[in-house]
Amino acid sequence: MAAAQGRLSDGADGADGMDDAEDTAQGRADSGLPAAFRSAVEALRTARVRPQVEVEPTPAPQRLAPHAYALEAVVADGEQELADGRLVLLHDPAGHDAWQGTFRLVTLVRAELEPEMAADPLLPEVCWSWLTGALQARGLGYGEPSGTITRAGSHYFGGLAERPAASQIEIRASWTPREGLGGVPDTAAHLAAWCDLLAQVAGLPPAGPGDASVVTLPQRRGPQSR
């Protein structure tokens, strides 16, 4: 398993010393954040995920909530990218009526599908079951789930006529994680469930025993790496 963020510094040379200075500055900046948000973000930074999922921090949106932290991920099989996504943790210490809580997780997941799979009329329901099933399989409490499942197809003509038709599935969703001690949700477990969703969309086998509530589709190819 790989850590979501694992940059460590031992100060052995000038470069490491610079990293230490940056970490100190970051620590000072983080000290002004709410304690619950700092704990939730730290759990994301140190979480370990399945090795096929490459996760790293990315700039977070600034206008969705007073505090935000974002990760992006790619599911890779060798040099082939099978799916990609983004997970954003939002926090409003004052609470949010629509969230029914102080934290919210927002995600975008995308993958390329075989055209015949994209034509399956049950595909949207199946993809939504992947999300809810991934959370339920890890015993995670959550509320106020919402989202959209979008499928799109591309057909090429003229100078691009040799390209095969392509179909893509896109999952946009958000949910409120149940808060635990100190008002902090188990963000590491939610990240693990999100990685399970990414892996399933990518067509990878489950990391552990499956959840009977989740419907699976056949294995498929992913988009070719560029």
Side-chain angles (χ1 to χ4, degrees):
M1 296 243 176
Q5 178 175 332
R7 183 170 66 87
L8 300 176
S9 172
D10 59 10
D13 56 31
D16 285 340
M18 186 176 299
D19 286 344
D20 284 342
E22 292 174 353
D23 289 343
T24 299
Q26 183 63 48
R28 289 171 180 167
D30 288 350
S31 66
L33 298 174
F37 182 66
R38 290 202 313 269
S39 297
V41 169
E42 183 61 21
L44 289 175
R45 287 174 172 169
T46 58
R48 303 186 70 81
V49 300
R50 56 188 295 172
Q52 299 93 337
V53 184
E54 302 170 4
V55 181
E56 62 181 20
T58 190
Q62 300 298 310
R63 299 181 180 180
L64 298 180
H67 307 286
Y69 181 78
L71 296 167
E72 60 183 6
V74 172
V75 181
D77 182 11
E79 297 183 355
Q80 189 177 42
E81 292 186 2
L82 304 177
D84 65 85
R86 191 181 195 210
L87 183 68
V88 181
L89 174 68
L90 305 176
H91 179 54
D92 186 342
H96 196 293
D97 290 342
W99 302 353
Q100 294 295 300
T102 63
F103 284 91
R104 188 75 170 172
L105 285 162
V106 182
T107 188
L108 166 66
V109 172
R110 299 173 299 191
E112 187 174 323
L113 301 175
E114 294 284 0
E116 59 270 20
M117 184 180 294
D120 188 331
L122 295 179
L123 182 66
E125 288 80 4
V126 169
C127 288
W128 186 253
S129 81
W130 288 344
L131 170 61
T132 58
L135 295 170
Q136 293 165 7
R138 291 186 176 270
L140 293 171
Y142 65 96
E144 305 303 319
S146 63
T148 60
I149 309 294
T150 304
R151 48 185 165 186
S154 299
H155 299 266
Y156 300 95
F157 301 92
L160 302 177
E162 293 184 358
R163 292 189 181 183
S167 298
Q168 187 180 70
I169 189 72
E170 181 180 277
I171 302 172
R172 293 180 180 268
S174 63
W175 65 94
T176 299
R178 180 179 296 164
E179 298 171 12
L181 294 177
V184 183
D186 189 351
T187 50
H190 280 271
L191 174 59
W194 181 68
C195 289
D196 293 341
L197 168 66
L198 274 167
Q200 190 143 27
V201 171
L204 298 181
D211 177 16
S213 69
V214 179
V215 182
T216 59
L217 291 180
Q219 296 287 305
R220 55 159 180 78
R221 64 172 175 82
Q224 297 298 316
S225 59
R226 296 177 178 82

